[in-house]
Amino acid sequence: MAETAQVALILKVATQLFAALGYDGTSTRQIADAAGLNIATVNYHVGGKRELYLAVMERAHLAEKAALEQALDRLPGDDPAAGIHRLVDDYLDFCVDNPEVPALWMHRWLSDAGDITELERRYVQPLFAAVTATMRPIAESGLIDARVDLEYAMWTVVWSVHGFVKGGVLDDQGRRRGAGDRAALRRFRAHLHLNLHRMLGLPGDPR
């Protein structure tokens, strides 16, 4: 196996374990065993657990950044209200397609990797600032209710999407239905759009 393939395998396995168990609940030995390698090989290619976690979080950030930049490029367009709904759809789709990303950040919300403090400032804040900066002119145009706290509104979307993708909902039989359930995803998407539309005070009906 070539070195580049080994690194890719290590990062893939580490991402899965960090997303499932968190940084604090994952050991380098677990990662090595899951990758079919020894710890010395993992350390040689990517360093220790901290370095591996930082590499995983950077990859997750770059994937999210690329998706978000593409989505923001289309906002507001000819119909700003529709553009806002499209932006939320794009974010939901990214999280559904990459569930490890919200899982990694939700672990951090629960104080995982508490000794690694710079990730939110380095990764989350710039992306969040980019979204609010793009939304601000739309709000100032009067399309969004002036009483809305734009930053908290955007955080509400993040909390909702992450919660659904990571935890799902319970059906009437008490079974958990998540993003992999097409009917549950369709209902959540409609619910999210309705809540967003009303929260922002957008004109017309939800798109």
Side-chain angles (χ1 to χ4, degrees):
M1 184 184 293
E3 178 177 328
T4 53
Q6 281 192 328
V7 171
L9 174 61
I10 293 167
L11 289 174
K12 177 182 178 181
V13 169
T15 299
Q16 293 170 342
L17 287 174
F18 286 141
L21 305 175
Y23 176 81
D24 296 333
T26 302
S27 68
T28 307
R29 180 170 296 281
Q30 287 175 300
I31 295 169
D33 288 347
L37 303 169
N38 57 53
I39 292 179
T41 301
V42 172
N43 288 338
Y44 171 76
H45 286 303
V46 296
K49 177 179 168 180
R50 180 187 178 92
E51 289 76 21
L52 185 51
Y53 180 71
L54 291 175
V56 165
M57 295 304 289
E58 182 176 16
R59 287 186 69 190
H61 164 70
L62 291 176
E64 186 172 12
K65 180 173 182 285
L68 189 58
E69 286 177 346
Q70 184 176 8
L72 289 176
D73 283 344
R74 300 201 303 270
L75 187 71
D78 296 333
D79 186 340
I84 292 171
H85 282 285
R86 187 171 58 242
L87 173 64
V88 171
D89 263 334
D90 289 342
Y91 183 66
L92 175 59
D93 290 340
F94 171 81
C95 290
V96 169
D97 292 339
N98 302 273
E100 69 280 0
V101 176
L104 288 166
W105 288 112
M106 286 189 74
H107 277 295
R108 291 190 63 80
W109 293 356
L110 299 174
S111 301
D112 188 47
D115 60 321
I116 302 175
T117 59
E118 71 273 17
L119 297 185
E120 282 73 17
R121 177 185 56 79
R122 183 186 303 172
Y123 295 147
V124 178
Q125 189 59 34
L127 294 186
F128 194 79
V131 173
T132 53
T134 304
M135 293 280 290
R136 192 74 63 189
I138 301 175
E140 292 172 351
S141 73
L143 185 74
I144 295 173
D145 189 324
R147 297 169 296 178
V148 171
D149 186 316
L150 195 56
E151 291 185 353
Y152 270 63
M154 294 301 97
W155 274 117
T156 299
V157 171
V158 172
W159 298 329
S160 298
V161 170
H162 282 212
F164 174 75
V165 171
K166 184 70 169 67
V169 296
L170 298 181
D171 65 14
D172 56 3
Q173 300 299 315
R175 294 169 296 193
R176 192 174 298 279
R177 302 293 187 183
D181 185 301
R182 294 179 65 182
L185 177 59
R186 183 169 57 252
R187 285 184 63 188
F188 174 74
R189 191 184 299 274
H191 170 75
L192 181 66
H193 280 290
L194 180 60
N195 277 353
L196 175 73
H197 204 84
R198 290 177 173 173
M199 178 169 58
L200 298 182
L202 296 175
D205 296 322
R207 312 303 167 91

